[in-house]
Amino acid sequence: MALKRETKNKQIPIVKRPLTSWVFDGNLKLQILLVAIILLTVAIRVIPLEMQKRIVNEAINLRKLDLLAIYCGIYLASVILASSLKLAINIIQTKISQKVTAQMRQQLYHHILTMPLNFFRNTQPGTVVNSLINELTIPGNFVGMALAVPLTNIVTLLAFFGYLLVLNPILAVISFSIYPAMLYIIPLLQKRVNQNNIQRVNLSRKLSSKIVESIAGIHEVQANGAFAIENNKFDAIVDSLMKIRIKWSINKFIIKVVSNFFINLGPFSIFIVGGYLAIKGQLGLGALVAFLSAQEKLYDPWKELIEFYQVYQDGKINYSKTMNYFDVDIANELIPKDREPYELDVAINVENMSLETAEGIKLLDNINLKINSGEHIALVGFSGSGKSSLALCLAQLYSYTSGHATIGGKEISDLTKADITKNIGLVSQSPFIFDGTIKANLMYSYTALHGEECVMEGDCAPELDGLVHVLQHSGLFVDVLRFGLNTIVEKRAEEFIPVIIKMRENFQKEFGDSIYEWVEFFDEKQFLSYANLADNIIFGAPVSKNFKNKNLVKNKFFRDFLDDSDLTRPLLTLGREIADQTVDILKNITHDKMFFEQTPIELEEFEKFENLVREIKNRNLHQINKEQTIALLELALRFSPGKHRIATIPEFMIKLILEGRYMFREKIKQKDPYAIAFFRSDQYIHSQTISNNILFGIVKTTNPIAQEKINQFIIALLIGEDFLEKMIEIGMDFEVGTKGNNLSGGQRQKLAIARTFLKSPPIMILDEATSALDNKSQTRIQNVLSRQWKGKSTLIAVVHRLDIVKEYDKVVFLKAGKIVEMGSYDELMEKKGYFYELAHEHR
């Protein structure tokens, strides 16, 4: 089981771990290495001080150049070595910090996924996101610094103090006398910083939640024009966060200013006392230089200690706030201890079960229900009657507050998540579809049950036939096939190009006559009435962006070609005619997209062409400017004779276009041979979909009956070439988008049903799982449930369409959280009670 591997060697829950527990956890070897490098670094950092003293007292005073060279060399070597070791320390610190931050995020994320659903009802996703991404950064940084920074700087201070004691005990004591005062004052100032930081963390969470809420509800915001409301909410939080961050930053700066003040007192005391001793001859000049240098160097370790103290305080607050927020008891263990998950006898027994909210509202009240193995039960009732609550209690997603509910004699509340997921498959009314492919979502429940390793290595991966089977049963098969046919598969096309080309030939040969009125097939010798003039000239799919429709007329190469092929003037004439006719006919008509179907001019650009017609009204074509020329050429090239009835194309122009087609192909091969994928009956068009490659033409009509007929012919070819399953494989690679946004609501429900069918659980719970489907699709799935799953799986279904409950063994009617009627469909209709009334309301 995947859950078992994930929780192996279970440790203390992350929300119970103190921040300091991370310092050595998994980092012991790196921390020991750090200590060794730090001690060596501190020893080396004292050497430059001694060299300064000797350079002044021995090399300079005695005027010995050899000693000057030796001492300067040692000084330089010690500085280089100390800098290199400091870099090594920083690298190890960073590695520890990033490693621990990653572990914190992983463990907290793993914990969050197991938390009760009630927690997520009261928690905005933005709070969770902010906690995982932002609030664990500072604690992670602290762990990286926890040993290295204090050890480095404390040992450095002690080493310098010891060295200065040797030089002059009195001056050494005076130099270090300022630090006890700092150790008292700085923590007092830090308390205000901590209070500000707590407020900052809370407001940051609130801001993240507000952003997520606005994005999630963007449909409501835009539909109601509630921009001002949401802007005011957001602005208020941002203003509050700005003010508290200003206070937080100012108080941190105050600590730095106070620290700098005390540190600058050090050189002052050295100048007063040391200068006096030097004048009196009681302190050598070299020793005074060493003292001043040491005093300057003391600033860095002390500064780092102050910064470390602030990071520790900030990290401690962030860490404790985050962990306390997510410190919620987990209702059920993930995996069983010392046993495999149960394979339960799936008979379900509910006795006096109730579900009550924290506010005392009873969602379920004294439920008693017995479901035999393999029995199909329909839960019906008015909205808010408790149907879904009952289903989710049986799925262990809600925790009932009193009474008993058992599966195979085992109390549901005592079972682990692994026990539940092994025996139950759930489809909700609004199933969540994860970003990725259809196949990944289809395999989701199956993979969770069997484990990723087993599925990925092929030991328990389902066969393609099994995937196709559940797609058919859920009604998603046709959708996936369409996704496959509408896929552009450049990278994988080579392996089946011959098959597609063969299907293209067979399609025209076998079905060409039947669909001639619906499809205009590509033929390089024929003008295409349902293609625009640009496509007729190019007769291919542009690969280079310079030859895409929007850029075509702006392309100098193409404009030169139009001149050479004598097409420029006819196209300008046609463009002018289209513009004149469209403006003349539509200028006094209420603008609606329907009226623009007969012209290549779009509704949004009508005003632009209305102005153009006015500007060129009394001008000859050679008198119009470049911008106007491009506009008319672009309009003419968008003209499709079969679709647009606003103008007609003269016969001589058709001949010019067909001649120009060959001329363009010759010229472009010399200029840029890979710019266009030309339409040739014996070549695959990599920039087009598989469907377009098979069709190799243009569909003339939007009639759904015609489109369905064409699809049937294509499917027949796929079956004939034994290529249908391959197309399904390609279709299953379709990217569904964030939350399945590339799928319709019905497709999302069918995908959720299919993944539960693939899991093949002993118990299926369907919570209005077909509510987004049309009647035909719902009936289809109900027939599958009745034929394929009755007696095989126990089924509990929350049903909103009462005409399909005839297929269920038992109908349970709930009202106000209570079961008020129970029996077969016929029994309840004969009783003429609540169910009878509801059934008649739906007729």
Side-chain angles (χ1 to χ4, degrees), residues 49 160 196 212 444 490 536 634 677 697 764 838:
L49 299 178
F160 282 8
N196 297 149
V212 171
Y444 190 77
E490 296 180 60
N536 264 289
E634 188 180 70
M764 277 196 289
L838 184 62

Side-chain angles (χ1 to χ4, degrees), residues 137-149:
T137 301
I138 296 177
N141 290 341
F142 160 74
V143 172
M145 302 165 65
L147 183 64
V149 172

Side-chain angles (χ1 to χ4, degrees), residues 170 202 214 231 281 318 342 378 413 415 564 605 652 784 807 812 828:
I170 296 174
N202 290 337
S214 298
N231 289 342
N318 282 29
Y342 291 127
S413 59
L415 294 172
D564 295 341
E605 57 187 10
F652 83 90
V784 170
E807 303 291 333
V812 178
L828 294 185

Side-chain angles (χ1 to χ4, degrees), residues 371-388:
I371 305 172
N372 297 321
S373 296
E375 197 170 22
H376 285 199
I377 303 297
L379 304 179
V380 299
F382 298 103
S383 179
S385 61
K387 306 183 298 295
S388 293

Side-chain angles (χ1 to χ4, degrees), residues 611-653:
N611 293 332
L612 177 62
V613 168
R614 191 182 309 114
E615 291 169 3
I616 66 174
K617 183 175 182 180
N618 297 315
R619 297 183 190 176
N620 293 320
L621 289 177
H622 70 275
Q623 294 176 314
I624 64 177
N625 62 35
K626 182 179 178 181
E627 184 179 342
Q628 293 163 343
T629 298
I630 288 176
L632 291 179
L633 285 174
E634 188 180 70
L635 183 58
L637 289 169
R638 280 158 41 186
F639 177 70
S640 174
K643 178 181 176 183
H644 304 131
R645 308 296 184 183
I646 198 74
T648 57
I649 183 170
E651 189 64 33
F652 83 90
M653 194 172 176

Side-chain angles (χ1 to χ4, degrees), residues 353-356 361-367 385-387 389-391 393 400-401 814 816-818:
M353 185 181 79
S354 296
L355 174 62
E356 190 172 333
I361 300 171
K362 279 199 171 183
L363 302 178
L364 295 174
D365 187 7
N366 201 35
I367 298 293
S385 61
K387 306 183 298 295
S389 297
L390 174 55
C393 280
Y400 46 91
T401 49
L814 289 96
K818 295 182 178 181

Side-chain angles (χ1 to χ4, degrees), residues 41-111:
T41 303
V42 171
I44 292 171
R45 290 181 69 178
V46 177
I47 294 175
L49 299 178
E50 179 64 20
M51 290 304 102
Q52 289 177 5
K53 186 190 78 172
R54 293 192 180 191
I55 287 170
V56 173
N57 289 347
E58 298 179 21
I60 295 176
N61 277 349
L62 299 177
R63 300 178 181 275
K64 291 189 175 182
L65 291 175
D66 57 337
L67 289 179
L68 180 64
I70 292 171
Y71 293 153
C72 285
I74 296 172
Y75 181 95
L76 180 61
S78 62
V79 169
I80 293 173
L81 184 56
S83 298
S84 301
L85 292 173
K86 180 66 175 175
L87 176 61
I89 291 171
N90 287 335
I91 290 172
I92 296 173
Q93 274 185 240
T94 301
K95 188 172 182 179
I96 292 173
S97 172
Q98 294 304 316
K99 180 182 176 184
V100 168
T101 303
Q103 289 174 338
M104 285 181 181
R105 285 176 177 151
Q106 289 168 344
Q107 291 189 29
L108 183 58
Y109 179 78
H110 298 171
H111 171 78

